[in-house]
Amino acid sequence: MSDTLLSQLDKNKLPHHIAIIMDGNGRWAQEKGQNRIFGHSNGVVAVRNCVEASAELGVRYLTLYAFSTENWQRPKAEVTALMELLVHTIRKEIKTLNDNNIKLETIGDINRLPAGCYQELMEAKKATKHHQRLTLILALNYSARWDLIQATRRIAEEVENGKLRIDEVDEKCISQHLTTAPFPNPELLIRTSGEYRISNFLLWESAYTELHFSKKLWPDFSKEDLYTAIGDFQRRERRFGKTSEQLIRIQ
């Protein structure tokens, strides 16, 4: 099954940047009579599978929505366990990232993360900063509205200080002030667990992103499911406001 799906993909039409909302860890655990932390721990396997598959295919950027600003509202025990899991996972996977030429980056207000998490992230980012095969971007303490607010404040400050003119504030300017500025916009956004919303994730960057919704709960999301999403992406016509006839003439 996996080889069949893989063979059907056009390697010349891969999305350069895939973003994933990893949803369903809690429900997956509950279905098995376990607590939510058990689901988060098993979700790490799906992360590993998607990173590996993306690197093998030649996808250049993979962004994973790991922890939102709203997630602080969850029970304290769950938040603490998530932070500990993050530290443990980064520490465990750093060798794999180095061995596979994978660069680790982050978006979001990571300064608010616990000191141990922040330190592990900084060390991992430093250790992998020269890798070029795949850039793995973790969205941590991230929300799109937070990012737009901080960008707006920075722009307002630059205008106030005379470093920027009002007429220079355009789409490019806003994009350059977001934490996602170093990366291209995602071409494909995947959400698991059967929910049909994007939950405050990459709102600005996803203006023309293709959306794929999977009913799989995140711990069950496999390489085959990623291939299916990419295949769905490749069958779509991406017009960016143009008509189909215009696209044909351009080709």
Side-chain angles (χ1 to χ4, degrees):
M1 178 66 174
S2 175
D3 291 340
T4 301
L5 289 170
L6 183 58
S7 66
Q8 292 173 349
L9 297 181
D10 185 343
K11 299 296 179 62
N12 295 313
K13 294 183 179 180
L14 291 171
H16 293 291
H17 185 176
I18 298 175
I20 305 179
I21 300 175
M22 307 178 293
D23 192 23
N25 287 339
R27 274 170 283 170
W28 184 88
Q30 290 168 356
E31 288 180 359
K32 291 170 171 49
Q34 302 288 336
N35 61 32
R36 294 176 59 84
I37 306 307
F38 180 76
H40 294 309
S41 297
N42 281 272
V44 172
V45 177
V47 170
R48 190 178 297 118
N49 287 336
C50 282
V51 172
E52 186 177 285
S54 296
E56 290 170 348
L57 283 170
V59 174
R60 299 306 304 274
Y61 299 88
L62 176 65
T63 298
L64 303 179
Y65 203 4
F67 192 87
S68 74
T69 55
E70 290 85 359
N71 287 155
W72 293 110
Q73 302 174 54
R74 293 186 176 186
K76 185 177 180 180
E78 182 177 351
V79 172
T80 300
L82 278 169
M83 292 298 126
E84 291 175 352
L85 178 62
L86 176 61
V87 170
H88 173 75
T89 301
I90 292 173
R91 190 175 296 154
K92 183 179 178 181
E93 298 296 328
I94 187 67
K95 184 179 185 301
T96 301
L97 295 177
N98 282 323
D99 289 345
N100 289 279
N101 197 22
I102 296 173
K103 181 179 183 180
L104 180 66
E105 289 284 2
T106 59
I107 56 173
D109 187 7
I110 62 172
N111 292 311
R112 279 197 59 203
L113 296 174
C117 291
Y118 180 85
Q119 186 63 31
E120 290 289 339
L121 278 170
M122 291 301 100
E123 290 179 6
K125 289 171 70 172
K126 182 179 180 180
T128 63
K129 66 179 181 179
H130 296 300
H131 297 334
Q132 298 180 339
R133 184 184 185 190
L134 169 70
T135 298
L136 172 62
I137 306 160
L138 298 182
L140 291 162
N141 195 30
Y142 171 88
S143 83
R145 289 182 176 180
W146 164 83
D147 207 5
L148 286 165
I149 289 169
Q150 69 83 27
T152 303
R153 287 174 176 168
R154 287 171 57 200
I155 291 170
E157 184 178 0
E158 290 179 17
V159 170
E160 186 177 39
N161 294 334
K163 296 180 179 179
L164 190 68
R165 299 195 314 270
I166 286 290
D167 60 3
E168 292 177 317
V169 180
D170 53 16
E171 286 190 19
K172 182 179 179 180
C173 175
I174 293 172
S175 294
Q176 289 174 337
H177 286 78
L178 295 170
T179 61
T180 54
F183 318 115
N185 292 333
E187 293 154 289
L188 172 63
L189 189 154
I190 302 167
R191 181 172 186 144
T192 60
S193 87
E195 300 290 352
Y196 295 88
R197 56 180 179 272
I198 55 176
S199 298
N200 205 0
F201 184 49
L202 302 177
L203 299 179
W204 177 270
E205 299 82 357
S206 297
Y208 283 99
T209 299
E210 298 297 325
L211 307 180
H212 176 90
F213 298 99
S214 170
K215 292 184 178 180
K216 289 283 190 72
L217 299 177
W218 178 246
D220 290 329
F221 195 82
S222 64
K223 288 186 178 182
E224 289 78 10
D225 296 308
L226 182 65
Y227 300 154
T228 296
I230 294 173
D232 180 31
F233 167 84
Q234 292 185 342
R235 288 189 291 272
R236 300 185 190 182
E237 182 181 70
R238 309 191 73 219
R239 296 191 296 275
F240 301 97
K242 298 182 175 66
T243 66
S244 298
E245 291 74 15
Q246 286 176 302
L247 292 179
I248 292 172
R249 285 198 295 271
I250 291 173
Q251 294 172 355

